Amino acid sequence: MSGDNPVPTGHGARLTVDLAALVANWRTLAAHAPRAECGAVVKADAYGCGLSAVAPALWRAGCRTFFVAHLSEGIAARRLLPEAAIYVLNGLPPDSVEAFRTHALRPVLGDRDELFEWAAAADGAAPAALHSAALHVDTGMNRLGLPVAEALALAGDPVIARAGIDLVMSHLVSAEQPDDSLNARQAADFLRVRAAFPGLRASLANSSGTCLADAARHDLLRPGYALFGGNPEPGRPNPMRPVVRLEATILQVRTVGAGESCGYNARWQAPAPRRLATLSLGYADGYPRSASNSGHALVGGVPCPIVGLISMDLIILDVTEAPDARRGGTATLIGGNLDIDSVGRAAGTIGYEILTGLSSRYVRTYVE
């Protein structure tokens, strides 16, 4: 993905999404467990990258199982993927059974009320109206899901078959930290649950979980963040290809003297005469304000610090060391050495938040 082309006139910034890299990442993750199916988590508009482009690209590559967070996301995914298995992670909201049926969506049932409501709706329904569901077991997150003891108590209960449960799943707490004892504890608890439900497929591994031992992989992998270029193994070289590139237009370049400030509240003062460039991008575009005076952009390949407070539509860079900085030129906010993980760290957050905050104001380009 080249940063040499200017952002189209009329737009402040351009987001380029490399679908070929996305598919390559899916295949890399799938190779960790060749006997398992590799699904894809495409919630939050495919992590900000655009569900309408991402989901079909993964389907064409061979992905057949998708996970979203909300019913509305499931409906949007179904329009794009008429034949896919689509699971809705956030469970079964009250009075939503008919919508799940209409759109052939699979709820991830996380408590007894949801389980029995789904099963009751299936009683007496025509076989063609029935759709599968997943049973979510909480092995340590304490967020959603049945406690392990409650799940084990349901083993052999006819409600499991009535509800069409075809998958039992849980969620790892600290998969990105392979030495955390929680991983082994959760894996052991999940093995107990899986053994209690013979014949059902099992899913535990998220992006980082695919890089753990076989005990975390089971039958169905659920990568999300790593598909979009995030590092599933923090502290090690990233095996994923970069997927997104964010570039903004330079609106103006000026010189300021020593001691002069820039931006709201004068939070930065020039230590000496400096050249400053103002970018057509701000926190309204999803670039975090917390990167003020800590983040960087690349201009002509030269790292240039963000100076002053990031405002709604504008960012100021110190481009003194970047001879190519000029009005109408381009600065790269994500891309090259500025991967989503490093951008997140500079903003005091995580790459997940950087991705999911990507704005609809960008002109978007998809490449394959």
Side-chain angles (χ1 to χ4, degrees):
M1 293 182 286
S2 172
D4 297 334
N5 297 323
V7 176
T9 300
H11 288 273
R14 176 180 61 221
L15 180 71
T16 305
V17 179
D18 188 339
L19 297 175
L22 170 88
V23 167
N25 290 342
W26 178 75
R27 289 176 174 148
T28 295
L29 293 161
H32 281 84
R35 296 182 181 178
E37 179 187 358
C38 189
V41 180
V42 291
K43 60 186 179 178
D45 195 28
Y47 284 67
C49 291
L51 181 69
S52 61
V54 166
L58 289 169
W59 176 266
R60 291 192 296 270
C63 184
R64 294 295 179 261
T65 301
F66 296 81
F67 293 85
V68 296
H70 303 299
L71 173 58
S72 59
E73 293 180 342
I75 294 170
R78 176 57 72 210
R79 294 190 185 107
L80 299 164
L81 304 168
E83 300 178 59
I86 301 173
Y87 289 91
V88 179
L89 292 166
N90 285 13
L92 184 71
D95 303 317
S96 64
V97 168
E98 195 56 39
F100 273 86
R101 281 184 170 176
T102 298
H103 299 283
L105 301 173
R106 306 182 183 194
V108 177
L109 305 172
D111 66 30
R112 291 176 62 89
D113 289 343
E114 291 182 353
L115 175 64
F116 280 87
E117 181 179 343
W118 185 254
D123 290 344
L130 299 179
H131 301 295
S132 302
L135 186 69
H136 184 178
V137 181
D138 178 21
T139 55
M141 186 72 79
N142 284 316
R143 192 176 60 178
L144 291 175
L146 287 94
V148 171
E150 284 191 27
L152 293 175
L154 287 168
D157 192 309
V159 71
I160 298 298
R162 286 170 49 217
I165 301 297
D166 69 346
L167 178 70
V168 60
M169 58 177 282
S170 189
H171 198 79
L172 291 163
V173 174
S174 298
E176 73 281 4
Q177 301 173 25
D179 297 328
D180 193 317
S181 61
L182 270 171
N183 292 319
R185 191 184 318 160
Q186 285 189 272
D189 283 343
F190 191 66
L191 280 173
R192 290 169 54 212
V193 171
R194 179 178 188 176
F197 293 91
L200 297 185
R201 295 204 304 164
S203 178
L204 179 61
N206 55 5
S207 288
S208 295
T210 64
C211 303
L212 295 177
D214 285 343
R217 292 173 183 154
H218 298 280
D219 304 303
L220 176 61
L221 309 178
R222 305 193 314 270
Y225 182 56
L227 295 174
F228 304 95
N231 191 351
E233 301 180 273
R236 298 184 180 183
N238 190 354
M240 302 293 104
R241 287 173 53 178
V243 171
V244 300
R245 186 179 187 91
L246 177 61
E247 298 162 304
T249 299
I250 297 175
L251 297 176
Q252 187 180 98
V253 178
R254 67 173 63 202
T255 299
V256 298
E260 288 193 65
S261 66
C262 69
Y264 285 114
N265 305 123
R267 294 293 179 85
W268 178 88
Q269 287 82 39
R274 310 300 290 176
R275 290 177 71 236
L276 304 182
T278 301
L279 307 184
S280 186
L281 179 85
Y283 59 74
D285 299 283
Y287 197 86
R289 187 172 182 269
S290 56
S292 300
N293 291 311
S294 60
H296 288 76
L298 301 175
V299 178
V302 178
C304 299
I306 294 172
V307 294
L309 291 179
I310 293 171
S311 54
M312 184 178 293
D313 310 297
L314 301 168
I315 291 175
I316 304 170
L317 302 179
D318 181 344
V319 295
T320 307
E321 309 303 325
D324 292 339
R326 57 177 176 79
R327 174 178 175 260
T330 299
T332 300
L333 282 298
I334 303 173
N337 294 330
L338 296 175
D339 59 61
I340 53 175
D341 290 296
S342 62
V343 172
R345 284 192 297 271
T349 183
I350 55 178
Y352 293 77
E353 188 173 357
I354 301 299
L355 278 177
T356 56
L358 295 172
S359 172
S360 60
R361 287 215 294 188
Y362 303 138
V363 58
R364 289 177 176 241
T365 302
Y366 292 92
V367 297
E368 296 190 63

